[in-house]
Each structure stands twice: as C-alpha cells, then as structure tokens.
Amino acid sequence: MGETTTQAGVSTQTESPISGGYYWFVIIYLVLLSAFGSFVNDMYIPTLPVMCKAFHCSVSTCQLGLTFGMIGLGVGQMLLGPFSDRWGRKPILYIAMVIFAIGAFCSVWSHSIWEFIWWRLVQGFGASGGYFLARTIPADMYQGQHLAKVMALVGAINGFAPASAPVLGGFVSHAIGWRGIFWILFGFSILLLMLAPALKESLPPSRRVQGHFGIAFKNYGYLVKNKRFMVHSLLKGAALGLVFAYVSAAPFIIQDHYHYSQLQFGLFMGFNAIFIAFGATIALTFKPLKRAAVVGAWGIFFICIGQGICLFLVDSVWVYEAWNVCMIFCIGLIFTVSNTLAMNEGRLYAGDASALLGFIGYVFGGIASPVVGLNNVLHSTAITQMAYAVLILVLAHMTKVIPAELEPTFESAGRTGLPKYPKPLSSTKADAPGAAAQVATETVSRASTVTPDASEGNKSIENG
C-alpha cells in the first residue's frame, strides 16, 4: 500500500494490489469476520420456538435475545471503532474475539431466558469487533473502484454465511440441542484468533489517531454532520432493519404457523440467503453504481406491498417464500451500494465510520426484531416490512441525487480552516496542527487538495 501527499500535506492511499496469495488470504479472512456477525444471530434463529418452550417465555421476550445481540453489535462497534483508529486493527481483533468466546461459553450454562439475553449482549459486543473490521480493513487498503470490488466480493461470498448458518443451526439443534450452537460459535471465535497472527496490520502508526484520547470519539460528530455519509448509512440501516424483520418473524411463520421442522426452516433460510450474494454481485453491473440502490428500493417497495397483502389474505408458505426470495435479492443490491458509498465518504476516519455504519444498522434491526412478534406475527410482519420499505425508497432517492464527491479531505469533512471549527483538532499525524494551519492559510478549494489518481478513483465509484 503506497501513499501520496496532497497540496495540503494530507496523506492519502494509492490503490493497492488486488491479486496474489496474501490478497486472497485477506479476502477469506474478511469473509470469516463478516460471516461471524451473521452466525451470531442467524445460526440460532431456527431454535427460537424451541427456546420459547424451554425457557417458558413469550415470543417477543425470546426475540429480545436477537435484540440484545444487536445492541451489543451496535454499541461495541461505536466503542471499539475509535480504539482501533488509535491502537490499530489487530489489537482490537484479539480483544473482541476473546470477549465473544467468554460470552458464548457462558451462554451455554444459562438457567433463565434473562440470563441468556444478557450473555447475548456480551456476545454481540465481542462479535462487533470482527464485524466492523471487515469493512474497516478494506477501506484502509483500497479506494475507488478497487474498494467497491473488494466490498462486493466480500459481500457476495459472505452471502453464504446467512445461507449456511440457519441450515447448520437446524442440523446442530436437531442433533444436540440449542446449546450445541453456542459451542460451535465458541469454536468459530477460537479459529479466528488462531488465524489472526497471519493478518498484517492495515493501519500503520503514521495514520493512527494522536493527541488526547477523547479526540477519537469526536470524529463521530464530524461523521454525523456529513450528509453524504449519513444518507448512505441510513440506507444501509433501513435495509438491515428489513432483513431483521424478515429473519425474526420467519421461524415463527414457517415453523409454528406452517408447521415445518427446524431443519426444513434452515433450508428455506439458506436458499433465500443465497440471493443476497446474487444481488450484491449484480449491483456492480449498474452504471452508475448508485442506480442499483434505486432499482432495489422500488423492487422492495412493490414486493412488500405484495407480501403484505398475502400475509393478510393468502395462507400459503410458497407465496410467502416467493416474495422473500425477491426481497432478499433487492436487499443485496442495496447492501453493495450503501456499504461502498458510506465507507468511501467516511474513509478519513475508517474505524469510526465503519463503527457508526454498523451501529445505525443494528438500531434499525433491534427495533424490528421484537416488533414483528407483537400480536399476530403475520400481520405485524407485514406492517413492519412495509414501513421499512417506504423508508428505504426515500433514502435511495436521496442517495441518487447526492452529487459525486471527489476524494474526501479533512477540509471537506469539516475539520480544518472552517469557521465552525476555529481550533482544528490534531486527530492524526497527517492532520496535525501544522498541516491544519497550512490548509487554513492556503485556503485552497476541495478539488485542489485531491491527487488526480484519488479523484479518478472516486469518480469511478459513481460511474460504476
């Protein structure tokens, strides 16, 4: 990975090689990290009806296990993101995997639903490290179209994580009970720990956060004020919320309402999840890339109308399944676009940006999970999915009208030389007071602080 220096003295990365043995090791490891977050929730979903009976609790209470897992995933990313920008990615990876291993081990011995729910919070916090690093590490190493390709490749391959997790969960639960699932998750975290030493640190000391520790957390303020980043992130969050509305309701609809077994439910979910990978891959064929989000959003809108009518009026598992396949494909389109554009806008604070992106997604998901279990699960699911579909459509059109941004700079991010921040923060060595003063003194335009190669790289995202 090389570096170039802009007129303002800010270091930016040049494109890194996208071939070779280590490249494929990184891709595989990123897939495992990202899949880890999916396995934490998706693998035990087939057991939710069984757990309701085992713990003698309501559907909505049992679904709080999903919600608390998502709270842990969201809050963990918000806390660990700034730490990773300060200490590097690998120390956070080690810490997160150890925390998850503890949570998974202890959840096996839960004697009540509430004890289990609290250990789910710990699991979510630990899994969050791997989940946001799967987005952060590519942003450290790549930009422009290369970043889009890596994100799409990881997303496409990782489509098999939610595909295989319910199937595997159904097999394991059928064979040895729901506790066996958490033994497997414990083993997964140990495997990631064993492979971690071969992963090179992607954030060199020269690009880490310097100065007072609180500065790292202030980056969230800059990201929240970045309209481009927030629109793309909210689009990803709304799409993830729709996924969790579907995932949380599916076991009760397919197993309890339509009377299929855990294993059969896993096969339904596995087949559907493959279409996330298909959609993520197809998104790269759209020019410009963001057009895929608009197409996906309109598709989701009409699909949710159709599925809502069927959930109220048509009692057929095959009609329900057909609508799910189409909806999941459209969500795959949106995931590639929103992940790529959001991380490109927030790449100056890659760890914080990835953490905030994940947190927003799990806020939407955490709300959806218990809501679909209220009263009649068929009707609650239809209403919840329709609400998310409308929100996705609005945000996709907001993404469409956002003009193409060149390589983000500390000035364009609201960091240096602007009246709103008269005393620039020395967040990184590249953004030290000297560099900040130079930017403020020169008063150059945003475009003039961009290297030609970087500018072209970001234009290529907009052009597909």
Side-chain angles (χ1 to χ4, degrees):
M1 177 177 62
E3 289 189 353
T4 58
T5 304
T6 66
Q7 183 176 348
V10 177
S11 296
T12 61
Q13 305 121 295
T14 60
E15 299 288 359
S16 298
I18 54 170
S19 61
Y22 181 69
Y23 168 77
W24 286 109
F25 169 77
V26 170
I27 292 296
I28 293 171
Y29 197 84
L30 292 176
V31 167
L32 291 175
L33 283 179
S34 185
F36 192 58
S38 298
F39 270 64
V40 168
N41 281 319
D42 295 345
M43 193 172 174
Y44 95 99
I45 284 174
T47 70
L48 287 176
V50 173
M51 293 180 69
C52 281
K53 297 173 183 177
F55 287 121
H56 306 289
C57 64
S58 67
V59 170
S60 187
T61 300
C62 191
Q63 285 173 327
L64 285 175
L66 290 172
T67 298
F68 271 63
M70 285 184 278
I71 291 173
L73 282 162
V75 174
Q77 291 178 83
M78 292 291 285
L79 294 176
L80 295 177
F83 282 100
S84 76
D85 282 343
R86 185 181 182 87
W87 296 338
R89 311 307 183 197
K90 288 189 67 173
I92 299 305
L93 175 61
Y94 288 124
I95 292 171
M97 290 302 99
V98 169
I99 291 174
F100 178 86
I102 294 172
F105 180 83
C106 292
S107 67
V108 172
W109 310 106
S110 298
H111 295 96
S112 70
I113 186 62
W114 292 108
E115 184 180 350
F116 173 78
I117 286 171
W118 284 111
W119 283 119
R120 286 285 301 161
L121 180 67
V122 175
Q123 289 176 41
F125 189 92
S128 70
Y131 202 66
F132 89 84
L133 287 174
R135 294 186 303 266
T136 305
I137 292 173
D140 288 338
M141 301 173 66
Y142 304 102
Q143 63 187 36
Q145 185 68 1
H146 287 175
L147 176 60
K149 288 180 178 179
V150 172
M151 286 290 194
L153 180 58
V154 172
I157 298 174
N158 196 39
F160 293 97
S164 59
V167 179
L168 182 58
F171 273 112
V172 173
S173 178
H174 179 75
I176 57 177
W178 66 266
R179 298 178 194 272
I181 290 173
F182 294 95
W183 281 120
I184 290 180
L185 290 174
F186 172 78
F188 197 163
S189 63
I190 299 301
L191 173 64
L192 290 172
L193 279 171
M194 292 173 63
L195 293 175
L199 185 71
K200 298 176 183 177
E201 175 60 63
S202 63
L203 186 68
S206 61
R207 290 169 44 214
R208 296 179 188 174
V209 168
Q210 307 294 317
H212 188 272
F213 189 79
I215 291 174
F217 290 92
K218 291 183 180 180
N219 288 342
Y220 287 131
Y222 300 117
L223 289 167
V224 169
K225 293 173 185 176
N226 184 330
K227 178 183 177 181
R228 300 169 185 271
F229 174 81
M230 287 303 297
V231 168
H232 303 321
S233 297
L234 289 171
L235 176 60
K236 167 65 183 298
L240 193 60
L242 182 59
V243 169
F244 277 105
Y246 148 71
V247 165
S248 300
F252 298 98
I253 293 175
I254 293 177
Q255 293 183 57
D256 286 355
H257 184 74
Y258 290 116
H259 308 294
Y260 284 86
S261 68
Q262 292 180 33
L263 180 57
Q264 290 170 324
F265 165 77
L267 293 173
F268 272 111
M269 296 290 285
F271 175 76
N272 294 351
I274 293 173
F275 286 85
I276 291 181
F278 188 37
T281 304
I282 294 297
L284 287 178
T285 65
F286 284 81
K287 299 183 184 299
L289 179 65
K290 61 175 63 176
R291 182 170 172 264
V294 177
V295 172
W298 276 109
I300 287 171
F301 180 75
F302 289 114
I303 288 165
C304 286
I305 290 177
Q307 188 179 69
I309 293 173
C310 292
L311 288 173
F312 272 91
L313 302 177
V314 180
D315 193 18
S316 170
V317 69
W318 299 111
V319 174
Y320 169 73
E321 168 66 5
W323 285 121
N324 281 338
V325 167
C326 298
M327 181 178 71
I328 290 298
F329 170 80
C330 292
I331 290 173
L333 294 176
I334 291 176
F335 277 178
T336 291
V337 177
S338 56
N339 273 328
T340 301
L341 295 181
M343 286 306 298
N344 190 69
E345 292 294 341
R347 66 196 317 275
L348 292 178
Y349 328 102
D352 300 322
S354 180
L356 185 56
L357 177 61
F359 176 79
I360 291 171
Y362 285 111
V363 168
F364 281 98
I367 293 171
S369 292
V371 170
V372 296
L374 298 175
N375 298 319
N376 186 310
V377 68
L378 298 176
H379 299 168
S380 297
T381 299
I383 294 170
T384 304
Q385 289 185 345
M386 194 65 239
Y388 277 109
V390 171
L391 184 58
I392 289 169
L393 187 60
V394 171
L395 291 167
H397 278 276
M398 292 178 68
T399 290
K400 179 183 177 182
V401 301
I402 291 177
E405 173 72 295
L406 300 178
E407 173 72 6
T409 65
F410 287 106
E411 183 181 4
S412 69
R415 292 296 301 277
T416 59
L418 299 182
K420 189 180 295 185
Y421 306 108
K423 295 181 180 181
L425 301 171
S426 54
S427 170
T428 66
K429 290 183 178 179
D431 190 28
Q438 182 180 352
V439 175
T441 302
E442 293 177 354
T443 319
V444 294
S445 67
R446 293 182 184 179
S448 67
T449 65
V450 186
T451 62
D453 289 343
S455 177
E456 290 300 318
N458 283 272
K459 288 179 181 177
S460 67
I461 292 181
E462 300 296 336
N463 296 329

